[in-house]
Amino acid sequence: MTKHALIVGASGIVGSATAALLVEQGWTVHGLARRPGDQPGVQPVAADLLDAAGTAAALAGIRPDAVFITTWLRQDSEAENIRVNSAMVRNLLDGLRANDAAVGHVALVTGLKHYLGPFEAYGKGTLPQTPFREEQGRLDVENFYYAQEDEVFAAAERDGFTWSVHRPHTVIGKAVGNAMNMGTTLAVYATLCRETGRPFRFPGSAAQWDGLTDMTDAGQLARHLLWAATTPAAANEAFNVVNGDVFRWSWMWSRIAEWFGVEAAPFDGSVQPLETQMAGDADLWRRIAEREGLAEPDLARLASPWHTDADLGRPIEVVTDMSKSRRLGFTAYQPTDDAFFALFERLRADRLIPA
């Protein structure tokens, strides 16, 4: 029988990759977003998850076997992040219950801030030992990821569905208007450096330049979400999910520079944030977009320098353990440099960056 999925945040990096995979696998897919896009094979559902009654109305008649929650809204403080993002999950699950949806599984995508802390306390205080492992549990700090989890756990106990929590590292994938988008940010930055002759400088810390790290391709995460939703042994578990390789930015930076035909500037140990380097580039990007016929002239809808700075500026090495998933049978692997290059090719093909 055909499986039915509801993907929440279907227009984002993770949601769009998950939708594409499930459609390919023959699932019937509904994609919920505030402003749903036109995605092949995806039936759009327009809803504001902060509107409980409107969400319930939008979900009428939808009976998903599995729900994939891949969205969040950034707020000015962690207290507001908790209030807003927990309400979104609660309104979604209450809306499905009100429509007698009989959901079988709910998957929630969070991330490594489970271990590193929220943006207000990012990488500070006493952190778990790396590589991060799922059994290390929660930090003694308020975190909207924990609040989202608690909403899922409470609804699962009430309504009887199974759940999974997925903790990717920085996600590589395509989406326009996404708040956390390192791959496209670096592509735009490299394009600007090539255009102006500015040095292609690593913006982050010595710890990130020299230390080991990993990342998560959106396709890899989509495969992990599907695996957990359809594997009984993965029910009611939290999982880390990364590509399966490790690298140092001192190696990756020159790989990215070579792809764009720019020279990687020597790293001098100083932090030079992209948010500062790209602060005055909006007009320049608009001119490039007009000259090259690009699809998105608004730099702010492509690049998220603040988020890339947060990741690349960490004062500690961050590596993720995936043994739990491996033991239960998830064996997919994705080289991270290939993930970057595939994204860059797609951005060119979709006229988001110039050739």
Side-chain angles (χ1 to χ4, degrees):
M1 295 180 63
T2 301
K3 290 280 191 177
H4 293 246
L6 173 64
I7 300 175
V8 183
S11 60
I13 290 177
V14 177
S16 59
T18 304
L21 176 63
L22 293 181
V23 169
E24 178 186 296
Q25 294 291 316
W27 287 54
T28 296
V29 178
H30 284 86
L32 186 150
R34 284 176 293 171
R35 293 177 294 275
D38 183 15
Q39 298 169 267
V42 178
Q43 301 176 45
V45 180
D48 178 355
L49 292 178
L50 291 174
D51 177 356
T55 297
L59 294 172
I62 298 175
R63 302 284 187 271
D65 297 291
V67 177
F68 302 90
I69 305 174
T70 70
T71 189
W72 71 290
L73 285 177
R74 186 189 182 201
Q75 305 299 309
D76 291 336
S77 69
E78 193 59 20
E80 277 299 289
N81 275 332
I82 290 168
R83 184 186 68 81
V84 167
N85 289 285
S86 62
M88 290 167 61
V89 174
R90 184 169 60 253
N91 291 341
L92 169 72
L93 299 177
D94 285 352
L96 288 166
R97 183 172 190 261
N99 285 286
D100 298 319
V103 173
H105 185 84
V106 172
L108 172 67
V109 177
T110 61
L112 293 196
K113 288 190 289 296
H114 181 93
Y115 308 107
L116 289 162
F119 289 119
E120 291 180 3
Y122 197 51
K124 300 175 182 176
T126 302
L127 299 174
Q129 185 180 34
T130 57
F132 294 139
R133 293 180 171 87
E134 294 90 344
E135 64 267 22
Q136 289 170 317
R138 297 180 175 185
L139 301 174
D140 186 20
V141 62
E142 294 297 309
N143 189 324
F144 82 86
Y145 283 171
Y146 306 160
Q148 287 182 309
E149 286 183 344
D150 288 342
E151 294 292 344
V152 171
F153 299 158
E157 185 174 356
R158 178 192 70 193
D159 298 336
F161 56 76
T162 60
W163 55 265
S164 57
V165 175
H166 304 255
R167 299 169 185 159
H169 200 162
T170 305
V171 177
I172 301 170
K174 181 207 163 187
V176 176
N178 193 273
M180 300 193 297
N181 195 338
M182 180 189 285
T184 304
T185 299
L186 293 181
V188 168
Y189 174 57
T191 300
L192 289 166
C193 289
R194 187 178 62 189
E195 174 79 12
T196 62
R198 285 163 19 194
F200 185 62
R201 299 183 183 277
F202 181 73
S205 67
Q208 291 303 303
W209 180 256
D210 294 321
L212 290 173
T213 192
D214 47 30
M215 293 184 73
T216 307
D217 178 69
Q220 174 83 337
L221 179 49
R223 291 187 288 272
H224 196 259
L225 286 162
L226 175 58
W227 166 79
T230 56
T231 302
N236 303 328
E237 297 286 351
F239 297 102
N240 297 328
V241 49
V242 287
N243 287 335
D245 63 351
V246 294
F247 64 92
R248 302 180 199 277
W249 277 106
S250 56
W251 174 79
M252 185 67 77
W253 198 250
S254 61
R255 297 275 287 158
I256 293 174
E258 182 180 0
W259 198 93
F260 281 96
V262 296
E263 186 174 349
F267 180 63
D268 63 7
S270 64
V271 176
Q272 302 189 40
L274 289 181
E275 198 162 25
T276 301
Q277 291 192 54
M278 299 172 67
D281 286 336
D283 288 343
L284 173 58
W285 184 260
R286 190 172 296 278
R287 291 196 298 273
I288 294 172
E290 290 173 355
R291 185 189 72 209
E292 302 290 337
L294 301 184
E296 182 51 71
D298 185 351
L299 180 63
R301 284 183 49 76
L302 289 177
S304 50
W306 68 272
H307 178 257
T308 299
D309 288 338
D311 277 5
L312 298 185
R314 295 171 182 151
I316 59 171
E317 181 179 86
V318 177
V319 186
T320 315
D321 182 79
M322 265 194 78
S323 298
K324 184 175 181 179
S325 292
R326 303 300 189 208
R327 289 189 181 103
L328 292 176
F330 182 79
T331 59
Y333 167 78
Q334 170 64 60
T336 300
D337 52 344
D338 287 352
F340 271 123
F341 301 156
L343 171 64
F344 300 155
E345 291 283 5
R346 186 178 177 192
L347 293 176
R348 278 187 175 173
D350 292 347
R351 304 301 303 155
L352 289 170
I353 61 172

